[in-house]
Amino acid sequence: IGAISSCTELALYDTDKSSPVYEDLLHVLKAAKRGKSLVRRISEFSRQTDAPRQPVNMSRVVLECMHLMRSILPANIQVREDIQKNIHALADPDQIMQIIMNLCTNAEQAMRMDQDGVLRVDLGVCEVDESLGRSLVLKSGRYARLNVSDTGVGMRPKIQAHIFEPFYSTRKKSGGTGLGLSMTKGIVAMHGGAIVVHSEAGSGTMFTVYIPCMEHVEEWTVESLPALPGGTESILVVDDDQDFQSTLSKLFRRLGYRVEGRDNPVHALELYAGDPSRFDLVFSDQVMPGMTGIEMITAMRAIRTDLPAVLCSGLEGRTMRQRIPQLFVDAPYTLVFQKPFDTVDLCRGLRSLLDSRSGPVAPVGGLS
């Protein structure tokens, strides 16, 4: 997915915004960014920890999600929506989309046995007063209110009492896991919100989600691609994933850098040892066959102490802290990024690292 994102971003920078291809590429990039977050979202939910949040235009996320839902829903289901513009929240946009997708998927499944059905999605703002706050266990204030309703079979009170429990499903024979609504409730709770359900057997179901609002602030979107800083320095890119290494090398060359790419850390170390002053920075993956990124960079710095290095790792949380010593993270001329990284952050960090380096190179020895 990292290679898809990087290639798509490269294509966007080379495509005129008036071209119909530009909009298609935006959809590819959005889908890739959502895909990159899938494992992280599941991991965060399993640990019940807060996900990184940012100012999010809920209206844009809901519209984007409904655009996707319209393409996958069966033709017998009508989609109706009423989305108020510019409703903002401090949230994880990927998790907000997960909420909407789960609720819409549930609604679609509830209408499968009907000849026709209507899925309705509304987004607006409401004031939660003390009375409503007590019933929802929420603080008083302004909330984004998302309603997802269907004209399906509905639920009896006995079923409603269990729908948010993990692994509870009325559709296990057809492949239901019982995790969708449980995950949805967990995500809503982590955002300081609440979710309620109203349903009657034979009369459809409506889920209502409350997420705390925030004042409008500027947000970054893929529609406004920022300029990427470049340079003329020489970079050695090392990653055993050939597609990713090739894509990243192409990105750096596009920004003006001179690039050598290797998919084997041992071969990369031999190349570097042959002429240590040739490279101004090394970019490396951490987990590679034969030698880790830290081991390779440490060996290179045994030859030249001031070599700037960027290390990328797909490890997360506690595992990353255990496998990547803080001593290495805090070393001079070192940056560590977690995969999947943001291309803009990476390019800016790399440029800052090169700019911070001063003085002549410092060779101290050779390979043993």
Side-chain angles (χ1 to χ4, degrees):
I1 293 179
I4 295 172
S5 297
S6 297
C7 283
T8 305
E9 287 177 322
L10 283 175
L12 278 167
Y13 280 106
D14 287 341
T15 304
D16 191 282
K17 290 186 177 181
S18 62
S19 169
V21 175
Y22 190 87
E23 184 177 354
D24 292 337
L25 290 171
L26 281 177
H27 286 302
V28 173
L29 182 57
K30 287 177 182 178
K33 287 182 179 292
R34 302 298 183 200
K36 286 196 298 184
S37 301
L38 178 59
V39 174
R40 175 175 60 83
R41 291 201 306 268
I42 295 173
S43 178
E44 286 161 356
F45 177 77
S46 66
R47 296 194 304 268
Q48 289 294 300
T49 57
D50 283 338
R53 300 178 195 171
Q54 64 191 63
V56 172
N57 188 328
M58 295 272 293
S59 309
R60 181 178 290 121
V61 175
V62 175
L63 286 170
E64 179 184 334
C65 190
M66 295 313 298
H67 177 80
L68 175 62
M69 288 303 303
R70 286 178 182 275
S71 66
I72 61 178
L73 287 172
N76 65 306
I77 295 180
Q78 299 180 43
V79 179
R80 299 174 185 172
E81 57 190 55
D82 183 7
I83 312 300
Q84 185 178 325
K85 293 182 179 179
N86 296 321
I87 299 177
H88 292 81
L90 189 64
D92 178 342
D94 299 310
Q95 291 190 332
I96 296 299
M97 178 166 277
Q98 184 72 29
I99 292 170
I100 303 164
M101 293 290 289
N102 283 346
L103 294 180
C104 288
T105 300
N106 264 24
E108 182 263 330
Q109 291 173 341
M111 294 184 286
R112 276 182 179 174
M113 60 187 67
D114 290 350
Q115 184 174 359
D116 294 299
V118 177
L119 168 65
R120 185 172 183 87
V121 177
D122 301 325
L123 178 68
V125 174
C126 73
E127 290 287 341
V128 173
D129 57 21
E130 291 185 8
S131 176
L132 182 57
R134 282 194 298 270
S135 67
L136 296 174
V137 195
L138 292 176
K139 297 178 180 179
S140 301
R142 295 176 71 249
Y143 284 77
R145 181 174 60 194
L146 173 72
N147 290 326
V148 178
S149 62
D150 64 67
T151 57
V153 295
M155 293 180 286
R156 299 187 305 274
K158 183 178 179 180
I159 294 177
Q160 291 183 53
H162 299 283
I163 57 173
F164 294 114
E165 295 175 3
F167 304 109
Y168 179 83
S169 176
T170 60
R171 292 185 292 271
K172 288 186 177 180
K173 291 183 178 180
S174 59
T177 63
L179 288 174
L181 288 176
S182 176
M183 289 185 66
T184 297
K185 184 176 181 180
I187 293 170
V188 172
M190 285 190 287
H191 282 79
I195 180 171
V196 293
V197 59
H198 175 77
S199 181
E200 295 181 8
S203 300
T205 300
M206 181 170 73
F207 286 91
T208 301
V209 175
Y210 297 85
I211 300 290
C213 279
M214 69 176 298
E215 295 301 320
H216 171 70
V217 293
E218 292 299 321
E219 58 175 330
W220 182 87
T221 66
V222 293
E223 284 87 352
S224 55
L225 292 172
L228 299 178
T232 58
E233 290 88 350
S234 179
I235 299 175
L236 176 59
V237 177
V238 187
D239 197 307
D240 61 308
D241 184 334
Q242 294 185 2
D243 289 335
F244 183 75
Q245 179 251 105
S246 174
T247 300
L248 202 60
S249 297
K250 183 178 180 181
L251 169 65
F252 292 153
R253 290 191 187 99
R254 190 75 59 88
L255 296 174
Y257 296 108
R258 291 169 286 127
V259 183
E260 283 282 350
R262 293 292 185 274
D263 58 14
N264 184 304
V266 176
H267 296 166
L269 181 56
E270 293 173 349
L271 173 66
Y272 176 81
D275 186 3
S277 63
R278 174 181 173 186
F279 297 103
D280 299 295
L281 179 142
V282 59
F283 176 100
S284 177
D285 186 25
Q286 164 61 359
V287 180
M288 296 181 288
M291 181 181 291
T292 67
I294 290 179
E295 291 171 339
M296 183 193 71
I297 293 169
T298 300
M300 290 178 173
R301 284 178 169 169
I303 302 172
R304 205 185 98 198
T305 58
D306 70 340
L307 174 68
V310 176
L311 182 76
C312 277
S313 173
L315 301 173
E316 294 188 8
R318 184 181 305 171
T319 305
M320 186 172 180
R321 290 192 294 271
Q322 291 172 342
R323 300 279 292 276
I324 301 180
Q326 193 63 36
L327 184 65
F328 178 85
V329 177
D330 293 337
Y333 312 122
T334 303
L335 284 178
V336 176
F337 283 87
Q338 181 178 323
K339 289 182 177 179
F341 53 77
D342 181 84
T343 302
V344 176
D345 290 342
L346 174 67
C347 292
R348 288 175 177 173
L350 185 147
R351 185 65 258 163
S352 177
L353 193 62
L354 287 167
D355 291 340
S356 69
R357 178 180 165 230
S358 61
V361 297
V364 295
L367 281 173
S368 58

